[in-house]
Amino acid sequence: MYFTALKELNLPQPELKSVIQRIKSGYKISLSSDKLVKNIYLTTPGIDGFFSDNYFDILPGQTVELSFETKDQTSNFEKVLNLVSLVDSY
């Protein structure tokens, strides 16, 4: 299934979990899922900064850790963080 053409994938809706920690340079984000998450893309509307990684896959049971470097501080980063994957696009 993993190497099938994207238009032929029948992806189930994953249960995506995120853990966010404030760090000196911004935020540390840990993502995991119970199912394959294909082509996940992260955005933070209204907050300037950059992700250490973006547009990647999460395999079931795998935890992916990345950082979001920013000088902006917000008390509701969890609500601003937007996660979109291939399954969300159709």
Side-chain angles (χ1 to χ4, degrees):
M1 175 176 112
Y2 190 78
F3 295 105
T4 303
L6 294 179
K7 66 181 181 178
E8 295 176 13
L9 288 177
N10 185 15
L11 297 170
Q13 187 68 39
E15 183 178 326
L16 194 59
K17 295 181 183 178
S18 62
V19 176
I20 299 171
Q21 296 176 303
R22 182 82 169 115
I23 57 175
K24 184 177 181 179
S25 60
Y27 299 91
K28 177 182 171 185
I29 305 164
S30 299
L31 300 172
S32 61
S33 177
D34 62 335
K35 297 176 181 71
L36 172 65
V37 180
K38 187 79 176 141
N39 299 347
I40 191 163
Y41 180 70
L42 295 82
T43 59
T44 54
I47 299 179
D48 291 330
F50 65 93
F51 292 96
S52 60
D53 196 3
N54 209 342
Y55 202 70
F56 53 89
D57 297 342
I58 302 174
L59 299 175
Q62 173 189 27
T63 298
V64 176
E65 293 185 350
L66 59 138
S67 62
F68 178 72
E69 299 204 15
T70 183
K71 294 182 181 179
D72 295 347
Q73 293 187 13
T74 180
S75 60
N76 62 345
F77 184 78
E78 295 83 5
K79 293 180 183 176
V80 175
L81 180 63
N82 191 14
L83 308 171
V84 179
S85 69
L86 183 64
V87 74
D88 301 315
S89 67
Y90 56 87

